[in-house]
Amino acid sequence: MKLGLRLLLANIKDLIPIGVFFLVLAAVVLPVFGLVYYYNFSFTLNFSNYYFTIISFTIFQSFASAFFSIVIGSVFALLLIRYRYHKTIKLIVNFLSILFVLPTILSVFGVLTFYGQYFSVYGIIGILIGHTVLNTPLITRIIFQSLNDISSNEYILAKQMSLDKLGIFFAIEWPIVKKNIPSLFVIVFFICFVSFTPVLILGGNPKYSTLEVAIYYSVIFNNDFNAALNLLLIQLSICLFIYAAFFKNFKSSNFIIDEQRNFYENEKRGLSFYIEIIFIILISIFIFSPICFIILNGLNKELINIFSSSYLWHAINNTFVICFFSGSVSVFVALNYLNLIYRKKYFTEILIYSLIIFSPVVMAVGYYILLYKISLLNIPNILIVIILNAIFSLPFTYNFLAPSYFKIMHENEDISKSINMYGLQRFLIIDFPRLKVPIITAFSVSSILSASDLVIISFFGTNSLSTLTQTIYRLMGSYRMDEAYSVSLILLMYCICYFGTSYVFMKGKLWNTH
Amino acid sequence: MQKISIVLFFFIYLNSSFAQEKLVVGTYDSFSADWGPGPIIEGKFEEICNCDLQFISTSQAGNLNNEIFLNGKDVILGVEMHEFDYSIEDWHEYDHGFFSFVYDSSKLTNPPKTFEELINRNDLKIVVQDPRTSPVGIGLLRWMKSIFKDDFSIKLKQLDQNIITYTPGWSEAYGIFLEGNADLVLSYSTSPFYHQEYENEYKYKSLNFTEGHLATREIVYVREKSMNQKLAKKFIDFIIEDDIQKIISSMNIMYPSVDKTELVPEKMKKLIKPKEIDYNVFLESEPLIETWLETVAG
């Protein structure tokens, strides 16, 4: 009896992560299976020229968008890291995560308003600007985090070897940036590949389109799931091919860097200082245009009235519940998945990243069929919204957690062996205190990402279950543009508060188990 | 984690209501929103029906015909007449309007008077909706096909020169227009009423073409699969009662289903009601969209 219990306990640490792995697998495969089963899927390849045009255009614009986002994002991260102790820079860094999760439509309006005055933004230029504005913050945030992990010893060593800035860049910083590029490239490529609103509005013409638009049309207007699944299959194949070509040698576990920081560079304020500051300001203006747009438009006469409307407080309440729980679920799943990848090398990360390319519309429909048509389960809508959001934010949660997770697990290996502590106990006592900051960061990002969702909530939301983002769109759909902008400003404040609270948790001793 | 799930479980159960007879009405967002006619209608109907009326809405108007949205609904409110399956027995039109282009009269002082003129005016920046994702976008294609018949694709090509972008939905297009990024937006002839009634703003006007405008009618119907046939029919009769029609007209920014002047809001009466175009042959959306794609993207 005792032995059996002990065996069970010993294996339980594997049971949960493996269970989680299969849950993720099921989360991806089941809805597709549901669709295939329900609609008698048949694979047909008869595509008009139009599809070939948009596929080649999509590949081109995704490459270009990813390229520009990565170049600008890395340069920005490298500049920010030099002045990371300055208060303004700290603020910019904290705002980066918020930028990434604002409703897309507002970023698009920001681009139209700020750049539309100077030149025609519609077409390929507009799409590239839009995608760069949207994705640069994510890139900067993740590269900044990695650069921040560089040990000050390395800088001191570089100084002793009297390396100049360029030397330091090539010797220390470039290797870190380089390691980040494959995964970030894939993420941004995937995001741009399935881009919907920015491509439609900024493209200006249906010849600049994505397969996602065609999928949406087949699902929503034509009820043609066969076409939708065929398009999804093509979308998946292209993206998996890109992944295999660029990503196969990459593993997040490559990140093993020392900690300890606090190396202050005392430099003379020469010409390069001013050039760097100018670049920081320029890039900030570029990527902060959506926030400027929201603040400028949100401060209007409707703002005060809105606070007394009941829909706002309902929406805030729902948004909070959805954010909090889906963020928690997402972090839980990501941690277990990381655990599995860390210990069992044959489990792959592509499952997580492929979640980006699974068209949310198709997935939502797939779940709809599973849950209602086949009546597999009878669960309340809010739970579905939470779980689906947790799943769809996984790639980002995972990416935020992975570098620190692998680093810390690796470093704690010896300690845990020496005191003979394994499994959950080890995680809670040894690893968790050091992982607190990345966990909370990943939690905030994935929570807020769920707040920006529009597809899942439009399928599974009800009138009493509406989020802030959905409220913004609803207001816009009823001529109430000013109110929509005000709610956007409130959403912005909400994000700031959410991040702020998480930050307090991070700094505070509340969670400190040591 | 366990505690959280228990808390969540209770939270959800407390939220779900156990009521009398329940009537589920599927509609689009702007109808059922807090600021739309939905909540008022809900209150008024529940006073007389001894039932629980529940609106479930979708943000995409195109969704209304989607079989996955239909599931579990007794009544569907808001299907556009062109998308409606007339083999269904119990239905009624509940409001109507006309597609039109809206402009800011303080900026555009010489608005085009015919569709032909609009097409040839190269100084205008127009924003419209993508017909693949928006019913208003399909409306434009039907409207142009009805006017220009065989010249449809030529005129489409010409108009495309003035169109700055095709947006996913009505909201984005209207937003771009209100931001001042376009001179004209495809919307409804009654759109200026909203700004007059609720914002006291009179500068927005809609174009009135001599060729006529395509009408759009919204339909409410009982689903044949509904278990609440009697209650559902009662709801439809209720929707076309005069006082409800008044509410719909002023809050949904459309004309009431029948042309009774006393039901039309004061400021809406003062708007020019466009001439309705002859629309005798039903135009399927798919061939129109195909032509549009070939012409515009080709």
Side-chain angles (χ1 to χ4, degrees):
Chain A
M1 188 62 202
K2 255 190 173 172
L3 184 73
L5 193 70
R6 206 185 291 167
L7 266 176
L8 187 72
L9 280 175
N11 281 317
I12 222 158
K13 71 175 201 290
D14 276 351
L15 271 179
I16 295 173
I18 290 178
V20 163
F21 171 81
F22 281 106
L23 270 179
V24 174
L25 193 67
V28 177
V29 173
L30 268 180
V32 177
F33 171 78
L35 284 170
V36 171
Y37 165 82
Y38 195 77
Y39 290 101
N40 297 320
F41 173 71
S42 66
F43 184 70
T44 41
L45 246 187
N46 68 45
F47 280 144
S48 62
N49 273 340
Y50 175 69
Y51 285 117
F52 287 109
T53 319
I54 60 169
I55 288 172
S56 46
F57 172 73
T58 303
I59 294 177
F60 166 71
Q61 66 83 1
S62 308
F63 257 106
S65 305
F67 175 78
F68 286 119
S69 309
I70 284 179
V71 170
I72 298 177
S74 322
V75 170
F76 198 39
L78 286 164
L79 290 171
L80 291 179
I81 203 79
R82 291 212 176 150
Y83 305 100
R84 70 191 116 161
Y85 303 109
H86 194 281
K87 273 190 182 140
T88 322
I89 302 295
K90 276 185 183 165
L91 200 67
I92 291 178
V93 171
N94 285 322
F95 262 93
L96 288 172
S97 322
I98 294 173
L99 268 172
F100 180 64
V101 297
L102 288 173
T104 328
I105 180 70
L106 297 169
S107 306
V108 172
F109 276 8
V111 169
L112 287 182
T113 306
F114 290 123
Y115 304 101
Q117 314 173 10
Y118 305 108
F119 52 90
S120 171
V121 281
Y122 301 100
I124 176 77
I125 303 277
I127 292 177
L128 291 184
I129 293 178
H131 282 165
T132 311
V133 167
L134 285 166
N135 294 306
T136 301
L138 172 78
I139 300 212
T140 306
R141 187 70 186 78
I142 289 177
I143 292 185
F144 180 87
Q145 190 144 325
S146 304
L147 288 173
N148 204 24
D149 281 339
I150 296 177
S151 159
S152 56
N153 297 338
E154 286 193 44
Y155 281 114
I156 293 165
L157 196 66
K159 280 280 167 192
Q160 285 165 346
M161 291 162 76
S162 56
L163 289 177
D164 56 2
K165 269 187 183 167
L166 209 63
I168 291 176
F169 169 71
F170 279 114
I172 304 170
E173 292 164 338
W174 173 240
I176 304 290
V177 175
K178 205 171 73 180
K179 272 183 190 169
N180 271 296
I181 287 177
S183 73
L184 290 177
F185 187 87
V186 167
I187 286 188
V188 178
F189 184 91
F190 285 3
I191 292 173
C192 299
F193 202 92
V194 299
S195 171
F196 189 88
T197 308
V199 163
L200 268 183
I201 296 184
L202 295 168
N205 185 294
K207 73 178 170 229
Y208 303 124
S209 189
T210 54
L211 283 177
E212 190 70 15
V213 176
I215 292 177
Y216 179 90
Y217 171 66
S218 315
V219 171
I220 302 295
F221 276 84
N222 259 10
N223 274 323
D224 187 351
F225 288 92
N226 209 34
L229 281 172
N230 273 299
L231 292 168
L232 180 67
L233 212 63
I234 288 175
Q235 188 158 302
L236 276 172
S237 331
I238 295 170
C239 288
L240 290 181
F241 175 77
I242 300 284
Y243 176 89
F246 287 88
F247 205 40
K248 61 177 191 292
N249 294 323
F250 174 79
K251 264 210 153 153
S252 310
S253 49
N254 290 350
F255 292 99
I256 310 281
I257 317 151
D258 302 332
E259 207 163 15
Q260 285 113 44
R261 267 159 252 140
N262 307 322
F263 171 68
Y264 291 83
E265 263 179 289
N266 293 316
E267 265 185 275
K268 275 175 264 150
R269 295 195 165 185
L271 182 66
S272 71
F273 168 79
Y274 292 105
I275 293 174
E276 283 171 7
I277 294 299
I278 287 169
F279 264 97
I280 290 181
I281 293 170
L282 284 178
I283 300 176
S284 299
I285 291 172
F286 180 64
I287 61 172
F288 279 89
S289 48
I291 286 193
C292 297
F293 179 82
I294 291 172
I295 295 173
L296 286 174
N297 286 280
L299 291 171
N300 58 48
K301 57 183 192 307
E302 298 293 341
L303 186 60
I304 304 294
N305 301 334
I306 279 179
F307 279 104
S308 57
S309 61
S310 63
Y311 70 80
L312 177 78
W313 300 104
H314 278 298
I316 289 180
N317 177 35
N318 288 326
T319 309
F320 180 75
V321 172
I322 292 170
C323 277
F324 183 81
F325 287 105
S326 81
S328 311
V329 173
S330 198
V331 166
F332 176 78
V333 172
L335 277 175
N336 277 289
Y337 205 94
L338 281 163
N339 182 341
L340 206 63
I341 292 198
Y342 179 70
R343 290 184 304 116
K344 309 226 182 323
K345 307 288 180 207
Y346 45 84
F347 283 101
T348 167
E349 293 178 327
I350 182 63
L351 185 62
I352 297 270
Y353 289 118
S354 68
L355 284 166
I356 304 176
I357 9 166
F358 274 96
S359 154
V361 178
V362 176
M363 293 296 266
V365 171
Y367 276 102
Y368 206 96
I369 285 161
L370 280 186
L371 298 170
Y372 294 111
K373 286 274 174 180
I374 309 181
S375 297
L376 204 65
L377 289 162
N378 190 9
I379 45 177
N381 284 21
I382 190 165
L383 214 58
I384 302 171
V385 173
I386 288 170
I387 292 169
L388 289 188
N389 271 312
I391 292 169
F392 279 115
S393 60
L394 258 184
F396 305 97
T397 322
Y398 184 88
N399 211 288
F400 265 89
L401 268 178
S404 315
Y405 182 87
F406 290 128
K407 186 183 103 190
I408 288 163
M409 290 302 274
H410 183 81
E411 287 172 6
N412 287 346
E413 210 57 44
D414 291 341
I415 305 176
S416 80
K417 273 187 189 137
S418 66
I419 57 173
N420 204 15
M421 193 182 268
Y422 300 100
L424 189 64
Q425 204 183 4
R426 169 198 156 163
F427 178 75
L428 287 178
I429 294 174
I430 305 175
D431 304 319
F432 184 72
R434 290 189 62 194
L435 273 171
K436 206 175 73 176
V437 173
I439 284 178
I440 294 175
T441 312
F443 167 77
S444 335
V445 170
S446 69
S447 300
I448 295 294
L449 212 55
S450 311
S452 70
D453 154 72
L454 202 65
V455 176
I456 298 160
I457 195 79
S458 76
F459 272 89
F460 298 100
T462 57
N463 278 28
S464 53
L465 180 63
S466 172
T467 59
L468 280 172
T469 306
Q470 201 187 19
T471 306
I472 295 168
Y473 276 81
R474 282 184 169 171
L475 286 164
M476 288 175 73
S478 317
Y479 293 92
R480 294 166 185 261
M481 216 52 73
D482 280 347
E483 281 171 75
Y485 291 142
S486 299
V487 177
S488 311
L489 185 62
I490 294 165
L491 174 66
L492 181 67
M493 304 309 291
Y494 171 88
C495 292
I496 293 170
C497 292
Y498 203 94
F499 272 91
T501 316
S502 315
Y503 188 75
V504 171
F505 268 92
M506 253 188 268
K507 291 282 151 193
K509 288 177 179 140
L510 277 143
W511 279 24
N512 222 336
T513 41
H514 273 281
Chain B
M1 201 57 214
Q2 220 172 19
K3 270 184 194 162
I4 292 172
S5 54
I6 291 167
V7 170
L8 184 66
F9 190 77
F10 275 102
F11 175 83
I12 289 147
Y13 265 73
L14 286 174
N15 266 347
S16 59
S17 52
F18 306 88
Q20 322 92 319
E21 216 179 343
K22 198 163 89 177
L23 188 71
V24 183
V25 178
T27 185
Y28 48 84
D29 270 346
S30 55
F31 193 90
S32 67
D34 274 40
W35 49 86
I40 299 175
I41 291 173
E42 186 179 334
K44 287 191 181 270
F45 188 63
E46 281 175 355
E47 275 171 26
I48 58 159
C49 73
N50 184 32
C51 69
D52 174 25
L53 174 66
Q54 199 185 351
F55 282 111
I56 294 185
S57 65
T58 165
S59 48
Q60 282 103 18
N63 252 349
L64 282 181
N65 261 340
N66 199 304
E67 64 169 293
I68 55 167
F69 180 74
L70 298 179
N71 193 46
K73 316 285 186 303
D74 299 305
V75 172
I76 299 292
L77 185 146
V79 182
E80 216 258 344
M81 65 180 203
H82 299 97
E83 311 294 331
F84 185 62
D85 170 11
Y86 288 92
S87 66
I88 293 167
E89 263 177 44
D90 296 297
W91 61 275
H92 210 287
E93 177 198 324
Y94 68 88
D95 68 10
H96 77 285
F98 301 90
F99 290 114
S100 183
F101 291 90
V102 175
Y103 67 100
D104 177 347
S105 63
S106 67
K107 287 184 190 157
L108 184 64
T109 44
N110 55 341
K113 292 184 178 59
T114 62
F115 212 127
E116 188 68 46
E117 194 192 334
L118 175 78
I119 286 170
N120 296 318
R121 279 281 291 271
N122 292 326
D123 59 320
L124 297 177
K125 286 190 289 182
I126 309 169
V127 58
V128 302
Q129 298 78 5
D130 192 312
R132 290 169 299 173
T133 51
S134 163
V136 189
I138 302 175
L140 176 69
L141 301 187
R142 288 204 172 100
W143 186 11
M144 288 182 72
K145 179 77 185 173
S146 313
I147 295 178
F148 301 111
K149 309 272 175 346
D150 294 342
D151 286 342
F152 174 58
S153 70
I154 300 168
K155 299 294 176 185
L156 211 51
K157 183 97 193 159
Q158 283 178 313
L159 181 67
D160 181 58
Q161 313 282 316
N162 305 341
I163 289 174
I164 52 170
T165 191
Y166 298 84
T167 65
W170 177 90
S171 323
E172 294 91 345
Y174 212 78
I176 287 173
F177 164 71
L178 288 181
E179 277 304 303
N181 293 317
D183 302 311
L184 289 164
V185 58
L186 178 63
S187 186
Y188 304 96
S189 76
T190 38
S191 297
F193 169 77
Y194 178 83
H195 302 286
Q196 298 178 4
E197 180 81 13
Y198 299 96
E199 295 172 343
N200 203 24
E201 176 63 80
Y202 286 81
K203 67 181 179 184
Y204 298 110
K205 292 189 171 139
S206 62
L207 294 182
N208 188 21
F209 292 149
T210 50
E211 294 102 329
H213 291 239
L214 181 71
T216 171
R217 295 168 205 284
E218 292 189 286
I219 286 167
V220 54
Y221 71 90
V222 180
R223 286 196 68 223
E224 276 155 14
K225 281 182 184 164
S226 165
M227 298 303 208
N228 285 325
Q229 292 290 331
K230 222 174 127 188
L231 189 61
K233 283 172 193 164
K234 195 172 171 185
F235 178 71
I236 290 183
D237 292 337
F238 178 76
I239 283 287
I240 49 174
E241 279 175 17
D242 281 0
D243 52 336
I244 301 301
Q245 282 288 302
K246 267 187 191 168
I247 295 169
I248 291 180
S249 182
S250 75
M251 295 186 83
N252 216 26
I253 327 293
M254 292 284 237
Y255 291 109
S257 64
V258 281
D259 278 324
K260 278 196 215 163
T261 37
E262 68 268 26
L263 300 183
V264 182
E266 282 309 309
K267 285 174 183 166
M268 200 182 279
K269 275 182 206 161
K270 291 184 183 137
L271 299 178
I272 302 165
K273 197 168 184 178
K275 184 181 97 181
E276 187 173 345
I277 197 166
D278 288 334
Y279 182 79
N280 303 321
V281 192
F282 178 75
L283 295 166
E284 288 280 356
S285 62
E286 208 157 334
L288 292 177
I289 290 172
E290 259 167 45
T291 314
W292 170 76
L293 265 185
E294 279 164 24
T295 318
V296 173

